[in-house]
Amino acid sequence: MIEDIFKTATPYILASIGGLFTELCGSLNIALEGQILIGAFWAIVVSNMTGSIVLGLLAAVAASSLLALITALFSFRFRANIFISGLAANLLAYGLVTVFSTILVKGGGVIRAETAIQGSSYFFTVFALLLLPLSWYVINYTPYGMRCRVAGLSEAVLYYRGISPDFYRYTALLISGVLCGIAGASLAARIGAFVPNISSGRGWIALVAIYLGYRKPQWVFLSCILFASAESLANWTQGFIGMPATVILALPYLITLSVLTIVSAVRKKTEQR
Amino acid sequence: MHPQKKSSIKWPDILSPLITPAAAFISLVLIITAVSSNPLNTLYIFLTSPISNNFYLGNMLNYAGLLIISASGISLVFKAGMFNLGGEGQIYSGVFTATAVSIALSSYSPFLAIAGAITAGSLTGAAMGTVSGYLKMKWNTNDLITSFLLSAAVIHIVNYLITGPMGDPASYLITTREIPQALRLKQFLPPSKLNISFIAAIIIAVIYYIYLYRTASGLKLRTSGKSRLFAIYSGVRTEYFVTIPFLVSGLLNGLTGSFASLGTYYMCAYNCTGGVGWSAIAVSLIGRNHPLLIIPAALFISWMESGLSGIVLYSGFPFELSPILQAFVFFFITAKFFKKEGYGDRRHF
């Protein structure tokens, strides 16, 4: 049971820690969902083609980072609204996965892993667990983490100290790209296949975890564990209550919506005080 | 009287609205050329199939009409300084409710059934929009995220309803039952689906234009959208211009769904709206949220999407490119290629 929860939590932890960096520097990346999707796709396709799981992982990271870089380019270089370009990245990921699965894998749809990628899912969980102390240290005790947070609080401060806030925005988005690529690969590894809509709202749940965790890595981590437990419990009880699978697909969005509403209501109350 | 300042032509102002359509178009052409085995023929079909005969022309206009109604709603919220990203779910739920109500009322007079269906479909969309608007007004919850999330959740719930309780067991599709022949909107240009909704769309766009630019309320809405503080200090009760634009926006999306159900799909099939909501956002953004510019923008997007489905049908082009078209539009649309702006003017969460 515990093992199952940690395995379920792995993609959440990876994606939300990645998103946390972008949120801290004031440019929240809502394309986590698309990045996970594209990561999962390339992880399976490249590992099938080359027979190497490591190459599959690298491809997942590269594809997801590339998507993050495109988002960053439009948002920071051309000053597009980051939410609209994040949305564009989600649509692009979905469109490209359809295109490439038609070109590379005839027939598209579900792609089974031909390598022993399923055996590597332990690696991902261990990596996610190691990420907690690492991100906690980087965010709280390194100049990089400090400047990231300052970029979010007041970019003018960085600007007038001769430090480019854009550098921190670009790298934060890149971090989210790398981690979401790994998250996608971990998801594909656990299932042992790529299925359309494999991310099924996990990127959005990861965004909620950031809010629920008050933008602190340790609490974000705990929120991810909470969501993973809820998901395991839902899967486990599904047999008893007979809740239809299509309604379960709606749950991540409804949970995200309620948490967001509660957080904003609480924030409003504390502001008024 | 002050002498009028002589206005000089500013190229960036003229060119920047055209960048997005041009960029999206060129990207599509490049992709088609790269993928297709016979690029010239494919490109020819891509450009001409939407106007090749009455059937395609009518369907393209019909689709443009749906986009105009929905985009008017989307742009109203943009003008009020917020985002409604829930178009897709609002339209889909509108299609579902309108279909269900028209079937339920089909034993009464056709007029009653159609009116009931359109009212019910519109109200469903309006209810969804109101939730986002109310949360924004009450607790300043991020409207962009709430409208998207609510829409995504509702799409899955509608999918559940049409797979299970409301589904048609006799059909091989995942769908509700079909709307009876008597209740379908009359086709102007058979066999195409062009119907009264296109005329309604133009009327809605004109009324919307008059409201926005010729009434006091429209001025207040635009003012509170441009600067909330300025509006408050000018005595505008800005709280009205948060929930109500969202309500109307949802209503228009629901209306789009009702028209789509009664005039285009005649049922609510699984994923039948397939991105109308996203395209409407693209239309609104390309038309710079201006009620009348939305019309050519809708025709452009409708032409592109019809062409894209044309090449899938006729040249064996292997996949649907419309999500990529939408993605390109969204990437380019808020980008600023000419203006260099200072620090501190970005929207934050």
Short mmCIF file of all heavy atoms in Angstrom, two decimals, chain A residues 26 28 74 78-81 84-85 87-88 91-92 99 155 159 169 204 211 244 246-247 249-250 253 256 260-261 264-265, chain B residues 83 135 138-139 141 144-146 148-150 152-153 156 160 278 319 323 327 330-331 334-337 343 346 348-349:
data_model
loop_
_atom_site.label_atom_id
_atom_site.label_comp_id
_atom_site.label_asym_id
_atom_site.label_seq_id
_atom_site.Cartn_x
_atom_site.Cartn_y
_atom_site.Cartn_z
N GLY A 26 7.70 33.81 -10.33
CA GLY A 26 6.62 34.68 -10.81
C GLY A 26 6.15 34.41 -12.22
O GLY A 26 5.57 35.27 -12.85
N LEU A 28 4.36 31.27 -13.39
CA LEU A 28 3.83 29.92 -13.26
C LEU A 28 3.58 29.27 -14.62
O LEU A 28 2.93 29.84 -15.49
CB LEU A 28 2.52 29.95 -12.47
CG LEU A 28 1.89 28.57 -12.26
CD1 LEU A 28 2.77 27.73 -11.36
CD2 LEU A 28 0.51 28.69 -11.68
N PHE A 74 8.54 32.51 -26.18
CA PHE A 74 7.40 33.37 -26.48
C PHE A 74 7.04 34.25 -25.28
O PHE A 74 6.69 35.41 -25.45
CB PHE A 74 6.20 32.54 -26.94
CG PHE A 74 6.23 32.25 -28.40
CD1 PHE A 74 6.80 31.08 -28.87
CD2 PHE A 74 5.72 33.15 -29.31
CE1 PHE A 74 6.86 30.82 -30.22
CE2 PHE A 74 5.77 32.90 -30.67
CZ PHE A 74 6.35 31.73 -31.13
N PHE A 78 9.34 37.44 -26.38
CA PHE A 78 8.32 38.20 -27.11
C PHE A 78 7.20 38.68 -26.20
O PHE A 78 6.19 39.19 -26.68
CB PHE A 78 7.76 37.37 -28.25
CG PHE A 78 8.79 37.00 -29.28
CD1 PHE A 78 9.03 35.68 -29.60
CD2 PHE A 78 9.53 37.98 -29.89
CE1 PHE A 78 10.01 35.35 -30.53
CE2 PHE A 78 10.50 37.66 -30.83
CZ PHE A 78 10.74 36.34 -31.15
N ARG A 79 7.39 38.51 -24.91
CA ARG A 79 6.45 39.06 -23.92
C ARG A 79 5.01 38.63 -24.14
O ARG A 79 4.09 39.45 -24.00
CB ARG A 79 6.51 40.59 -23.91
CG ARG A 79 7.91 41.11 -23.92
CD ARG A 79 8.16 41.95 -22.72
NE ARG A 79 9.55 41.80 -22.31
CZ ARG A 79 10.05 42.30 -21.21
NH1 ARG A 79 9.29 42.95 -20.40
NH2 ARG A 79 11.30 42.10 -20.91
N ALA A 80 4.79 37.40 -24.55
CA ALA A 80 3.42 36.91 -24.65
C ALA A 80 2.91 36.62 -23.24
O ALA A 80 3.71 36.41 -22.32
CB ALA A 80 3.37 35.64 -25.48
N ASN A 81 1.60 36.61 -23.08
CA ASN A 81 1.01 36.24 -21.80
C ASN A 81 1.37 34.78 -21.50
O ASN A 81 1.12 33.89 -22.30
CB ASN A 81 -0.50 36.40 -21.90
CG ASN A 81 -1.20 36.03 -20.63
OD1 ASN A 81 -0.94 34.97 -20.06
ND2 ASN A 81 -2.09 36.88 -20.17
N ILE A 84 -1.44 32.14 -21.74
CA ILE A 84 -1.87 31.80 -23.10
C ILE A 84 -0.80 30.96 -23.78
O ILE A 84 -1.11 29.98 -24.47
CB ILE A 84 -2.15 33.09 -23.91
CG1 ILE A 84 -3.23 33.93 -23.23
CG2 ILE A 84 -2.55 32.76 -25.33
CD1 ILE A 84 -4.62 33.44 -23.40
N SER A 85 0.48 31.29 -23.59
CA SER A 85 1.49 30.48 -24.26
C SER A 85 1.61 29.11 -23.59
O SER A 85 1.94 28.13 -24.26
CB SER A 85 2.84 31.20 -24.34
OG SER A 85 3.25 31.64 -23.10
N LEU A 87 -0.95 27.50 -22.44
CA LEU A 87 -2.08 26.80 -23.05
C LEU A 87 -1.71 26.33 -24.45
O LEU A 87 -2.01 25.19 -24.84
CB LEU A 87 -3.21 27.81 -23.16
CG LEU A 87 -4.59 27.28 -23.15
CD1 LEU A 87 -4.86 26.66 -21.82
CD2 LEU A 87 -5.53 28.44 -23.39
N ALA A 88 -1.02 27.21 -25.19
CA ALA A 88 -0.57 26.84 -26.53
C ALA A 88 0.34 25.63 -26.46
O ALA A 88 0.24 24.72 -27.28
CB ALA A 88 0.16 28.02 -27.17
N LEU A 91 -1.67 22.50 -26.06
CA LEU A 91 -2.31 22.11 -27.32
C LEU A 91 -1.28 21.55 -28.29
O LEU A 91 -1.53 20.56 -28.99
CB LEU A 91 -3.01 23.31 -27.95
CG LEU A 91 -4.32 23.73 -27.32
CD1 LEU A 91 -4.73 25.11 -27.81
CD2 LEU A 91 -5.42 22.74 -27.67
N LEU A 92 -0.10 22.20 -28.33
CA LEU A 92 0.95 21.77 -29.25
C LEU A 92 1.40 20.35 -28.89
O LEU A 92 1.57 19.50 -29.77
CB LEU A 92 2.13 22.73 -29.17
CG LEU A 92 3.21 22.53 -30.21
CD1 LEU A 92 2.68 22.84 -31.60
CD2 LEU A 92 4.42 23.41 -29.93
N VAL A 99 0.42 13.66 -34.22
CA VAL A 99 1.15 13.65 -35.49
C VAL A 99 2.24 12.58 -35.48
O VAL A 99 2.31 11.73 -36.37
CB VAL A 99 1.76 15.04 -35.76
CG1 VAL A 99 2.76 14.97 -36.90
CG2 VAL A 99 0.67 16.05 -36.09
N GLU A 155 10.88 41.98 -9.56
CA GLU A 155 11.92 41.86 -10.56
C GLU A 155 12.78 43.12 -10.63
O GLU A 155 13.94 43.06 -11.02
CB GLU A 155 11.34 41.51 -11.93
CG GLU A 155 10.24 42.42 -12.38
CD GLU A 155 9.63 41.92 -13.69
OE1 GLU A 155 10.41 41.58 -14.58
OE2 GLU A 155 8.41 41.86 -13.80
N TYR A 159 16.76 43.67 -11.27
CA TYR A 159 17.10 44.50 -12.43
C TYR A 159 18.11 45.58 -12.03
O TYR A 159 19.12 45.78 -12.67
CB TYR A 159 15.81 45.11 -12.97
CG TYR A 159 15.97 45.86 -14.25
CD1 TYR A 159 16.44 45.22 -15.39
CD2 TYR A 159 15.61 47.19 -14.33
CE1 TYR A 159 16.57 45.91 -16.58
CE2 TYR A 159 15.75 47.89 -15.50
CZ TYR A 159 16.22 47.25 -16.63
OH TYR A 159 16.34 47.94 -17.80
N ARG A 169 14.01 33.18 -14.96
CA ARG A 169 12.75 32.69 -15.52
C ARG A 169 13.00 31.57 -16.52
O ARG A 169 12.34 30.54 -16.49
CB ARG A 169 12.03 33.83 -16.24
CG ARG A 169 11.62 34.92 -15.30
CD ARG A 169 10.29 35.48 -15.74
NE ARG A 169 9.72 36.22 -14.63
CZ ARG A 169 9.97 37.51 -14.44
NH1 ARG A 169 10.73 38.17 -15.27
NH2 ARG A 169 9.42 38.13 -13.42
N TRP A 204 -2.30 19.33 -13.88
CA TRP A 204 -3.15 20.30 -13.17
C TRP A 204 -3.13 20.02 -11.68
O TRP A 204 -3.08 20.93 -10.87
CB TRP A 204 -4.56 20.29 -13.73
CG TRP A 204 -4.58 20.75 -15.14
CD1 TRP A 204 -4.59 19.98 -16.26
CD2 TRP A 204 -4.53 22.10 -15.60
NE1 TRP A 204 -4.56 20.76 -17.38
CE2 TRP A 204 -4.52 22.06 -17.00
CE3 TRP A 204 -4.48 23.34 -14.96
CZ2 TRP A 204 -4.47 23.22 -17.77
CZ3 TRP A 204 -4.45 24.47 -15.73
CH2 TRP A 204 -4.44 24.41 -17.12
N TYR A 211 0.04 25.12 -4.80
CA TYR A 211 -0.74 26.06 -4.01
C TYR A 211 -1.03 25.54 -2.62
O TYR A 211 -0.91 26.25 -1.63
CB TYR A 211 -2.06 26.37 -4.72
CG TYR A 211 -1.86 27.47 -5.69
CD1 TYR A 211 -1.49 27.18 -6.98
CD2 TYR A 211 -1.97 28.79 -5.28
CE1 TYR A 211 -1.25 28.20 -7.87
CE2 TYR A 211 -1.73 29.80 -6.16
CZ TYR A 211 -1.37 29.50 -7.45
OH TYR A 211 -1.11 30.50 -8.32
N PRO A 244 -18.15 5.13 -11.95
CA PRO A 244 -17.71 4.97 -13.34
C PRO A 244 -16.36 5.64 -13.59
O PRO A 244 -16.08 6.71 -13.02
CB PRO A 244 -18.80 5.69 -14.14
CG PRO A 244 -19.83 6.10 -13.19
CD PRO A 244 -19.33 5.97 -11.81
N THR A 246 -15.23 7.22 -16.13
CA THR A 246 -15.25 8.53 -16.77
C THR A 246 -15.47 9.65 -15.75
O THR A 246 -14.98 10.75 -15.92
CB THR A 246 -16.37 8.62 -17.83
OG1 THR A 246 -17.48 7.86 -17.38
CG2 THR A 246 -15.89 8.08 -19.15
N VAL A 247 -16.20 9.36 -14.68
CA VAL A 247 -16.40 10.39 -13.66
C VAL A 247 -15.12 10.60 -12.88
O VAL A 247 -14.77 11.73 -12.52
CB VAL A 247 -17.57 10.00 -12.73
CG1 VAL A 247 -17.67 10.97 -11.57
CG2 VAL A 247 -18.87 10.00 -13.49
N LEU A 249 -12.24 10.56 -14.09
CA LEU A 249 -11.41 11.46 -14.89
C LEU A 249 -11.70 12.92 -14.58
O LEU A 249 -10.85 13.79 -14.73
CB LEU A 249 -11.65 11.21 -16.38
CG LEU A 249 -11.02 9.96 -16.98
CD1 LEU A 249 -11.43 9.83 -18.44
CD2 LEU A 249 -9.51 10.03 -16.86
N ALA A 250 -12.94 13.21 -14.17
CA ALA A 250 -13.31 14.60 -13.87
C ALA A 250 -12.77 15.05 -12.52
O ALA A 250 -12.64 16.24 -12.27
CB ALA A 250 -14.83 14.75 -13.90
N TYR A 253 -9.80 17.70 -11.93
CA TYR A 253 -10.16 19.08 -12.22
C TYR A 253 -11.04 19.65 -11.12
O TYR A 253 -10.88 20.80 -10.70
CB TYR A 253 -10.87 19.16 -13.57
CG TYR A 253 -10.03 18.62 -14.68
CD1 TYR A 253 -10.24 17.35 -15.21
CD2 TYR A 253 -8.96 19.36 -15.18
CE1 TYR A 253 -9.43 16.85 -16.22
CE2 TYR A 253 -8.15 18.87 -16.19
CZ TYR A 253 -8.40 17.62 -16.70
OH TYR A 253 -7.60 17.12 -17.69
N THR A 256 -8.86 20.28 -8.08
CA THR A 256 -8.06 21.49 -8.30
C THR A 256 -8.91 22.73 -8.10
O THR A 256 -8.49 23.68 -7.42
CB THR A 256 -7.51 21.50 -9.74
OG1 THR A 256 -7.04 20.21 -10.07
CG2 THR A 256 -6.38 22.48 -9.87
N LEU A 260 -8.27 25.51 -5.19
CA LEU A 260 -7.96 26.88 -5.62
C LEU A 260 -8.94 27.87 -4.99
O LEU A 260 -8.55 28.93 -4.51
CB LEU A 260 -8.05 26.94 -7.14
CG LEU A 260 -7.36 28.10 -7.79
CD1 LEU A 260 -5.87 27.97 -7.62
CD2 LEU A 260 -7.73 28.16 -9.25
N THR A 261 -10.23 27.49 -4.98
CA THR A 261 -11.24 28.37 -4.41
C THR A 261 -11.01 28.57 -2.93
O THR A 261 -11.05 29.69 -2.42
CB THR A 261 -12.64 27.77 -4.64
OG1 THR A 261 -12.74 27.42 -6.01
CG2 THR A 261 -13.72 28.74 -4.28
N SER A 264 -8.00 30.78 -2.27
CA SER A 264 -8.23 32.21 -2.53
C SER A 264 -9.17 32.80 -1.50
O SER A 264 -9.01 33.96 -1.12
CB SER A 264 -8.75 32.42 -3.95
OG SER A 264 -9.97 31.74 -4.12
N ALA A 265 -10.14 32.00 -1.03
CA ALA A 265 -11.05 32.51 0.01
C ALA A 265 -10.27 32.79 1.29
O ALA A 265 -10.44 33.84 1.92
CB ALA A 265 -12.16 31.50 0.26
N PHE B 83 -10.42 36.39 -18.28
CA PHE B 83 -10.30 35.33 -19.27
C PHE B 83 -11.40 34.30 -19.07
O PHE B 83 -11.63 33.87 -17.95
CB PHE B 83 -8.98 34.58 -19.09
CG PHE B 83 -7.79 35.32 -19.58
CD1 PHE B 83 -7.14 36.20 -18.75
CD2 PHE B 83 -7.31 35.11 -20.85
CE1 PHE B 83 -6.02 36.87 -19.19
CE2 PHE B 83 -6.19 35.78 -21.30
CZ PHE B 83 -5.55 36.67 -20.47
N LEU B 135 -16.87 33.47 -8.31
CA LEU B 135 -15.67 33.20 -7.52
C LEU B 135 -14.66 34.34 -7.66
O LEU B 135 -14.00 34.72 -6.69
CB LEU B 135 -15.02 31.88 -7.96
CG LEU B 135 -15.81 30.61 -7.64
CD1 LEU B 135 -15.07 29.40 -8.17
CD2 LEU B 135 -16.01 30.48 -6.14
N LYS B 138 -16.11 37.32 -5.62
CA LYS B 138 -16.17 37.10 -4.18
C LYS B 138 -14.78 36.97 -3.56
O LYS B 138 -14.47 37.62 -2.58
CB LYS B 138 -16.99 35.82 -3.95
CG LYS B 138 -17.25 35.49 -2.51
CD LYS B 138 -18.58 35.99 -2.04
CE LYS B 138 -18.85 35.46 -0.64
NZ LYS B 138 -19.46 36.40 0.25
N TRP B 139 -13.94 36.11 -4.15
CA TRP B 139 -12.65 35.83 -3.52
C TRP B 139 -11.47 36.10 -4.43
O TRP B 139 -10.35 35.72 -4.12
CB TRP B 139 -12.62 34.35 -3.07
CG TRP B 139 -13.57 34.07 -1.97
CD1 TRP B 139 -13.74 34.79 -0.83
CD2 TRP B 139 -14.48 32.96 -1.89
NE1 TRP B 139 -14.71 34.22 -0.05
CE2 TRP B 139 -15.18 33.09 -0.68
CE3 TRP B 139 -14.76 31.88 -2.72
CZ2 TRP B 139 -16.14 32.18 -0.26
CZ3 TRP B 139 -15.71 30.98 -2.33
CH2 TRP B 139 -16.40 31.13 -1.11
N THR B 141 -10.64 34.63 -7.05
CA THR B 141 -10.05 33.40 -7.54
C THR B 141 -9.69 33.57 -9.01
O THR B 141 -10.46 34.17 -9.75
CB THR B 141 -11.05 32.24 -7.42
OG1 THR B 141 -11.69 32.34 -6.16
CG2 THR B 141 -10.38 30.89 -7.53
N LEU B 144 -9.11 32.62 -15.07
CA LEU B 144 -8.59 31.83 -16.18
C LEU B 144 -8.54 30.35 -15.81
O LEU B 144 -8.95 29.47 -16.57
CB LEU B 144 -7.20 32.37 -16.46
CG LEU B 144 -6.42 31.93 -17.65
CD1 LEU B 144 -5.83 33.15 -18.29
CD2 LEU B 144 -5.31 31.02 -17.25
N ILE B 145 -8.05 30.09 -14.60
CA ILE B 145 -7.89 28.70 -14.17
C ILE B 145 -9.25 28.09 -13.83
O ILE B 145 -9.55 26.96 -14.23
CB ILE B 145 -6.94 28.61 -12.95
CG1 ILE B 145 -5.63 29.33 -13.24
CG2 ILE B 145 -6.71 27.18 -12.55
CD1 ILE B 145 -4.63 28.55 -14.00
N THR B 146 -10.12 28.83 -13.09
CA THR B 146 -11.39 28.22 -12.69
C THR B 146 -12.24 27.89 -13.91
O THR B 146 -12.84 26.82 -13.97
CB THR B 146 -12.22 29.13 -11.76
OG1 THR B 146 -12.49 30.35 -12.43
CG2 THR B 146 -11.53 29.40 -10.47
N PHE B 148 -11.28 27.20 -16.91
CA PHE B 148 -10.71 26.05 -17.61
C PHE B 148 -11.04 24.76 -16.86
O PHE B 148 -11.47 23.76 -17.46
CB PHE B 148 -9.19 26.18 -17.76
CG PHE B 148 -8.57 24.92 -18.29
CD1 PHE B 148 -8.55 24.69 -19.65
CD2 PHE B 148 -8.05 23.97 -17.44
CE1 PHE B 148 -8.02 23.52 -20.15
CE2 PHE B 148 -7.52 22.80 -17.93
CZ PHE B 148 -7.50 22.57 -19.29
N LEU B 149 -10.82 24.77 -15.54
CA LEU B 149 -10.97 23.53 -14.77
C LEU B 149 -12.42 23.07 -14.75
O LEU B 149 -12.71 21.88 -14.93
CB LEU B 149 -10.48 23.75 -13.34
CG LEU B 149 -8.98 23.94 -13.20
CD1 LEU B 149 -8.63 24.33 -11.79
CD2 LEU B 149 -8.24 22.68 -13.60
N LEU B 150 -13.34 24.03 -14.56
CA LEU B 150 -14.75 23.66 -14.52
C LEU B 150 -15.16 23.04 -15.86
O LEU B 150 -15.84 22.02 -15.91
CB LEU B 150 -15.60 24.90 -14.22
CG LEU B 150 -17.06 24.63 -13.98
CD1 LEU B 150 -17.22 23.73 -12.78
CD2 LEU B 150 -17.83 25.92 -13.75
N ALA B 152 -13.19 21.53 -18.04
CA ALA B 152 -12.59 20.20 -18.22
C ALA B 152 -13.36 19.15 -17.43
O ALA B 152 -13.59 18.03 -17.92
CB ALA B 152 -11.13 20.23 -17.77
N ALA B 153 -13.79 19.53 -16.21
CA ALA B 153 -14.54 18.57 -15.40
C ALA B 153 -15.89 18.27 -16.04
O ALA B 153 -16.30 17.10 -16.12
CB ALA B 153 -14.73 19.11 -13.99
N HIS B 156 -15.90 15.76 -18.91
CA HIS B 156 -15.87 14.35 -18.49
C HIS B 156 -17.23 13.90 -17.98
O HIS B 156 -17.63 12.76 -18.19
CB HIS B 156 -14.80 14.13 -17.43
CG HIS B 156 -13.41 14.18 -18.00
ND1 HIS B 156 -12.99 13.29 -18.95
CD2 HIS B 156 -12.37 15.01 -17.78
CE1 HIS B 156 -11.74 13.57 -19.29
NE2 HIS B 156 -11.35 14.61 -18.60
N TYR B 160 -19.54 10.99 -19.42
CA TYR B 160 -20.12 9.91 -18.61
C TYR B 160 -21.61 9.75 -18.92
O TYR B 160 -22.10 8.64 -19.14
CB TYR B 160 -19.91 10.19 -17.12
CG TYR B 160 -20.85 9.41 -16.24
CD1 TYR B 160 -20.73 8.02 -16.14
CD2 TYR B 160 -21.88 10.05 -15.55
CE1 TYR B 160 -21.60 7.29 -15.37
CE2 TYR B 160 -22.74 9.33 -14.77
CZ TYR B 160 -22.61 7.95 -14.68
OH TYR B 160 -23.48 7.23 -13.92
N TRP B 278 -11.89 26.16 -28.24
CA TRP B 278 -10.53 26.68 -28.39
C TRP B 278 -10.42 27.55 -29.62
O TRP B 278 -9.77 28.60 -29.60
CB TRP B 278 -9.52 25.53 -28.45
CG TRP B 278 -9.48 24.75 -27.19
CD1 TRP B 278 -9.81 23.45 -27.01
CD2 TRP B 278 -9.12 25.25 -25.90
NE1 TRP B 278 -9.67 23.10 -25.70
CE2 TRP B 278 -9.24 24.18 -24.99
CE3 TRP B 278 -8.69 26.49 -25.43
CZ2 TRP B 278 -8.97 24.31 -23.63
CZ3 TRP B 278 -8.42 26.63 -24.08
CH2 TRP B 278 -8.55 25.55 -23.20
N PHE B 319 -3.37 13.09 -40.65
CA PHE B 319 -3.90 13.48 -39.33
C PHE B 319 -4.51 14.86 -39.33
O PHE B 319 -4.27 15.68 -40.20
CB PHE B 319 -2.81 13.40 -38.27
CG PHE B 319 -1.47 13.77 -38.77
CD1 PHE B 319 -1.17 15.08 -39.08
CD2 PHE B 319 -0.52 12.80 -38.98
CE1 PHE B 319 0.07 15.42 -39.57
CE2 PHE B 319 0.72 13.14 -39.48
CZ PHE B 319 1.02 14.43 -39.78
N PRO B 323 -5.44 21.08 -33.70
CA PRO B 323 -4.84 21.49 -32.42
C PRO B 323 -3.55 22.27 -32.61
O PRO B 323 -3.27 23.22 -31.88
CB PRO B 323 -4.54 20.16 -31.71
CG PRO B 323 -5.38 19.17 -32.37
CD PRO B 323 -5.60 19.63 -33.77
N ALA B 327 -2.64 25.96 -31.44
CA ALA B 327 -1.43 26.21 -30.65
C ALA B 327 -0.63 27.36 -31.24
O ALA B 327 -0.20 28.27 -30.52
CB ALA B 327 -0.58 24.96 -30.57
N PHE B 330 -2.27 30.67 -30.49
CA PHE B 330 -2.11 31.09 -29.10
C PHE B 330 -0.69 31.55 -28.80
O PHE B 330 -0.48 32.46 -28.02
CB PHE B 330 -2.49 29.96 -28.14
CG PHE B 330 -3.96 29.72 -28.09
CD1 PHE B 330 -4.47 28.53 -27.62
CD2 PHE B 330 -4.84 30.70 -28.50
CE1 PHE B 330 -5.83 28.31 -27.57
CE2 PHE B 330 -6.20 30.49 -28.46
CZ PHE B 330 -6.70 29.29 -28.00
N PHE B 331 0.30 30.87 -29.42
CA PHE B 331 1.68 31.30 -29.18
C PHE B 331 1.90 32.72 -29.69
O PHE B 331 2.46 33.56 -29.02
CB PHE B 331 2.66 30.37 -29.89
CG PHE B 331 3.15 29.25 -29.02
CD1 PHE B 331 3.12 27.94 -29.47
CD2 PHE B 331 3.66 29.50 -27.76
CE1 PHE B 331 3.57 26.90 -28.68
CE2 PHE B 331 4.12 28.48 -26.96
CZ PHE B 331 4.07 27.17 -27.42
N THR B 334 -0.47 36.83 -28.27
CA THR B 334 -0.19 37.88 -27.29
C THR B 334 1.27 38.31 -27.33
O THR B 334 1.69 39.14 -26.54
CB THR B 334 -0.56 37.44 -25.86
OG1 THR B 334 0.15 36.25 -25.56
CG2 THR B 334 -2.04 37.19 -25.71
N ALA B 335 2.05 37.67 -28.24
CA ALA B 335 3.45 38.05 -28.35
C ALA B 335 3.57 39.46 -28.92
O ALA B 335 2.75 39.87 -29.74
CB ALA B 335 4.18 37.06 -29.24
N LYS B 336 4.58 40.18 -28.46
CA LYS B 336 4.78 41.54 -28.96
C LYS B 336 6.11 41.58 -29.69
O LYS B 336 7.16 41.48 -29.09
CB LYS B 336 4.78 42.53 -27.79
CG LYS B 336 3.44 42.58 -27.11
CD LYS B 336 3.54 43.28 -25.77
CE LYS B 336 2.28 43.04 -24.98
NZ LYS B 336 2.20 41.64 -24.47
N PHE B 337 6.03 41.69 -31.01
CA PHE B 337 7.25 41.63 -31.79
C PHE B 337 7.86 43.00 -32.03
O PHE B 337 9.01 43.12 -32.35
CB PHE B 337 6.99 40.93 -33.13
CG PHE B 337 6.59 39.51 -32.96
CD1 PHE B 337 5.27 39.12 -33.03
CD2 PHE B 337 7.56 38.55 -32.69
CE1 PHE B 337 4.91 37.81 -32.85
CE2 PHE B 337 7.20 37.23 -32.52
CZ PHE B 337 5.88 36.86 -32.60
N TYR B 343 9.87 47.14 -17.48
CA TYR B 343 9.61 46.14 -16.47
C TYR B 343 8.33 46.45 -15.72
O TYR B 343 7.91 47.59 -15.64
CB TYR B 343 10.78 46.05 -15.50
CG TYR B 343 11.88 45.23 -16.07
CD1 TYR B 343 12.89 45.80 -16.82
CD2 TYR B 343 11.86 43.86 -15.91
CE1 TYR B 343 13.87 45.04 -17.38
CE2 TYR B 343 12.84 43.08 -16.48
CZ TYR B 343 13.84 43.66 -17.21
OH TYR B 343 14.81 42.90 -17.76
N ARG B 346 3.87 43.00 -16.58
CA ARG B 346 3.38 41.67 -16.90
C ARG B 346 2.26 41.30 -15.94
O ARG B 346 2.28 41.70 -14.79
CB ARG B 346 4.50 40.65 -16.75
CG ARG B 346 5.43 40.70 -17.93
CD ARG B 346 6.44 39.61 -17.76
NE ARG B 346 7.56 39.87 -18.64
CZ ARG B 346 8.80 39.70 -18.29
NH1 ARG B 346 9.10 39.28 -17.09
NH2 ARG B 346 9.76 39.94 -19.13
N HIS B 348 0.62 38.98 -13.42
CA HIS B 348 1.02 37.89 -12.55
C HIS B 348 -0.21 37.17 -12.07
O HIS B 348 -1.31 37.58 -12.29
CB HIS B 348 1.85 38.42 -11.38
CG HIS B 348 3.18 38.90 -11.82
ND1 HIS B 348 4.11 38.08 -12.38
CD2 HIS B 348 3.71 40.14 -11.83
CE1 HIS B 348 5.16 38.79 -12.69
NE2 HIS B 348 4.94 40.03 -12.38
N PHE B 349 0.05 36.07 -11.36
CA PHE B 349 -1.07 35.28 -10.87
C PHE B 349 -1.88 36.07 -9.88
O PHE B 349 -1.36 36.70 -9.00
CB PHE B 349 -0.54 34.02 -10.19
CG PHE B 349 -1.40 32.86 -10.42
CD1 PHE B 349 -0.93 31.73 -11.06
CD2 PHE B 349 -2.72 32.92 -10.03
CE1 PHE B 349 -1.75 30.67 -11.27
CE2 PHE B 349 -3.53 31.85 -10.24
CZ PHE B 349 -3.05 30.72 -10.86
#
